[in-house]
Amino acid sequence: MADLSTFPPPSPTIQSTRVQSFVEEDESKSRVDLETGNEVETVNGADVSDKEVPAQEPSPPNEKSESAVVAIGPPPDGGSRAWLAVVGVSCAGFCTFGFANAFGVFQAYYTKTIPGVDQFSIAWIGSLQYSLIFMPGLLAGHLSDIGHLRPMLVIASAVLITAIFLVAECKTLWQLILCQGVAIGGASGFLFMPSLGVVPQYFLKKRSTAYGCTALGSSLGGTILPIALRKLMAAVGFKWTIRILGFIIATFLGVMVLCVRPRVNRKKGGKFPIKDILGNRPLLFYVAAVSIMWFGIYNPLTFFDVYAQEKLGIPSTKSFYVIVTANGASIIGRLGSGLLADKLGPLNVQTAFCASAAILTIAWPYTRGFGSLEVVAVLYGICSGVFVSLLASPTSHMVQPHQIGATIGFTGTCMAIGALVSAPIAGQIVATSGGLNFAAVGGYSGAVVLLACLFSLASRYYALGGWKGKF
């Protein structure tokens, strides 16, 4: 099997004979030979091979290149600088997604300590934090593409650390919404999504594996932070727990700022590629798929702890380990999915595991003991971990290199709607369905994820021009 390159021509849609990745075709049409790593000569992002596009006249010296990228050769697919960038992106995931994945602990704590507040109201804190990780993506991704990544990471890190320390001083729901929901979530949005755009600059053949490694940070954060928060709250109280958390996050963000450095030199300026994005049919179907996915795929992670306490009668000192188990198991899915995706195609792997996650999402409310809930949590953690691990990989194969940051950001902004309302909708279902009906939440969430998988299949179909192929 010969694979086409990961970078398609800037046509409105990806045609089956020129799909940028994983199609069985003649490698002479590719921009980058996946066997040798040699890059085909390009001008302003377009091939100048006589098989593809006739040579273009060079731009005048004072005219800005549309791609605004200084070519420095194909991605090295390794090396110390490349893997340090992966470490840095992983640290960003630890401080943003990992922190957000531990919200189940905060949900249980706030329910008991803030008087007159129900599950639905508290869920808005976590939903805001989750959604704002993605909401600024449209702006943040474009700023990254035009050369402002480093200053953006420094400023966002300072805001995030400050907001964490302010959470320790919060006493009411609206204060928590502003600090933990808006400030922490918003700062995270200028860290997580734009940092993902650095990975394709260093990796081509091993891109999905690299993305899988970057996702380990959020998984480790979701595994370690709930344990640390529980233990520290019991030992030193809520305020000092948050302050210690602030110092931990500051350390990881320091590593991130040092390690995440763009490889491609970009000129200042450049237009946002909105026409190319809106004309790219496979990309639009994929964006619809992941946006719908957010309405359901992480609802179990939000309610595992509450379900264990309210339905199974498990004490809070033990119930939170369900969240830890799910986040720990997701390490397997996040790392393993990258290796599988480089062989089978990222969208193929992601769709299959998300469908499995949908079935487990429907099944978890029917567990009747701590052991069975832990088994479901392990399987669910593996499958849901694949989703976030490969989130950016398919989009990076659907557009040109100089559009990757903006495209990932556009995807994130669209996903923010689902991330914002998913937990409140699920919380409202629990509150209004009578007797904490978690089965209704599971059924709703699983059905939504299955619907999203259909959109993923449509994206794959249009990218390949048929059902056969690796994508």
Side-chain angles (χ1 to χ4, degrees):
M1 176 185 296
D3 298 339
L4 283 186
S5 84
T6 58
F7 307 132
S11 57
T13 58
I14 301 177
Q15 303 298 328
S16 61
T17 58
R18 300 179 71 187
V19 63
Q20 53 54 244
S21 157
F22 309 131
V23 185
E24 297 180 20
E25 271 291 349
D26 184 1
E27 285 185 358
S28 64
K29 296 182 180 180
S30 63
R31 294 173 181 268
V32 179
D33 190 324
L34 295 185
E35 297 298 326
T36 65
N38 295 326
E39 187 176 17
V40 176
E41 183 182 0
T42 63
V43 175
N44 292 341
D47 291 352
V48 297
S49 156
D50 56 5
K51 288 187 178 183
E52 292 264 341
V53 181
Q56 301 181 17
E57 291 295 328
S59 302
N62 60 347
E63 182 179 335
K64 287 185 179 180
S65 166
E66 184 170 332
S67 66
V69 179
V70 178
I72 55 175
D77 265 323
S80 59
R81 186 175 175 185
W83 288 111
L84 281 174
V86 169
V87 171
V89 178
S90 183
C91 288
F94 180 95
C95 299
T96 57
F97 240 119
F99 187 10
N101 283 345
F103 183 73
V105 176
F106 288 98
Q107 175 102 9
Y109 177 81
Y110 295 152
T111 301
K112 295 179 179 179
T113 57
I114 302 178
V117 177
D118 57 16
Q119 295 279 354
F120 177 76
S121 299
I122 293 173
W124 277 105
I125 302 173
S127 292
L128 280 170
Q129 186 178 352
Y130 256 119
S131 66
L132 288 176
I133 294 176
F134 304 113
M135 186 74 76
L138 193 62
L139 173 61
H142 182 55
L143 289 175
S144 175
D145 278 345
I146 62 175
H148 300 297
L149 176 64
R150 296 278 297 164
M152 181 168 54
L153 295 181
V154 173
I155 294 171
S157 297
V159 173
L160 178 59
I161 295 167
T162 302
I164 290 176
F165 282 103
L166 288 175
V167 168
E169 309 304 322
C170 293
K171 296 179 174 61
T172 62
L173 177 64
W174 72 267
Q175 291 174 340
L176 288 168
I177 288 176
L178 289 177
C179 286
Q180 189 166 352
V182 177
I184 291 177
S188 299
F190 287 92
L191 293 170
F192 180 70
M193 296 303 292
S195 68
L196 291 175
V198 174
V199 175
Q201 298 179 19
Y202 291 96
F203 294 92
L204 179 62
K205 295 180 184 178
K206 300 177 182 178
R207 183 175 297 173
S208 293
T209 299
Y211 270 127
C213 292
T214 63
L216 291 178
S218 57
S219 183
L220 289 172
T223 303
I224 296 171
L225 291 180
I227 298 176
L229 290 171
R230 287 276 186 174
K231 300 294 185 183
L232 287 170
M233 284 180 187
V236 297
F238 179 76
K239 285 190 174 184
W240 270 106
T241 295
I242 298 303
R243 291 165 185 162
I244 293 171
L245 174 66
F247 288 116
I248 294 172
I249 295 296
T251 302
F252 276 87
L253 288 178
V255 175
M256 182 272 298
V257 169
L258 290 175
C259 293
V260 178
R261 296 179 179 272
R263 173 174 175 264
V264 176
N265 299 317
R266 302 183 187 276
K267 297 179 182 179
K268 307 300 180 184
K271 295 181 180 179
F272 186 82
I274 189 66
K275 290 184 179 180
D276 291 338
I277 290 174
L278 295 180
N280 190 325
R281 186 180 295 177
L283 176 62
L284 292 181
F285 270 103
Y286 179 73
V287 170
V290 295
S291 299
I292 295 170
M293 196 82 69
W294 271 99
F295 281 87
I297 194 165
Y298 282 115
N299 286 337
L301 201 61
T302 301
F303 291 98
F304 272 154
D305 196 350
V306 178
Y307 173 79
Q309 294 182 44
E310 300 293 337
K311 282 294 187 179
L312 302 182
I314 298 170
S316 60
T317 54
K318 185 178 179 182
S319 63
F320 84 100
Y321 280 106
V322 181
I323 300 175
V324 175
T325 299
N327 283 319
S330 72
I331 295 175
I332 301 172
R334 294 172 194 233
L335 184 58
S337 65
L339 298 172
L340 282 175
D342 283 331
K343 296 181 180 297
L344 304 178
L347 194 54
N348 292 344
V349 174
Q350 186 189 62
T351 304
F353 277 89
C354 284
S356 301
I359 296 172
L360 292 165
T361 299
I362 296 171
W364 71 267
Y366 295 96
T367 56
R368 292 296 178 262
F370 185 71
S372 59
L373 182 60
E374 284 278 78
V375 171
V376 172
V378 169
L379 297 175
Y380 164 83
I382 293 173
C383 294
S384 62
V386 174
F387 168 65
V388 70
S389 173
L390 299 179
L391 190 61
S393 187
T395 58
S396 70
H397 291 297
M398 293 177 180
V399 296
Q400 294 189 83
H402 66 277
Q403 298 174 338
I404 288 176
T407 305
I408 292 175
F410 173 78
T411 306
T413 298
C414 293
M415 288 190 302
I417 299 173
L420 174 64
V421 301
S422 59
I425 290 175
Q428 192 67 11
I429 293 173
V430 170
T432 60
S433 57
L436 294 177
N437 189 351
F438 291 95
V441 175
Y444 155 77
S445 302
V448 167
V449 175
L450 288 175
L451 174 63
C453 289
L454 295 179
F455 279 85
S456 292
L457 291 175
S459 173
R460 179 184 181 277
Y461 176 84
Y462 283 111
L464 294 171
W467 294 112
K468 294 183 179 180
K470 174 184 174 183
F471 189 83

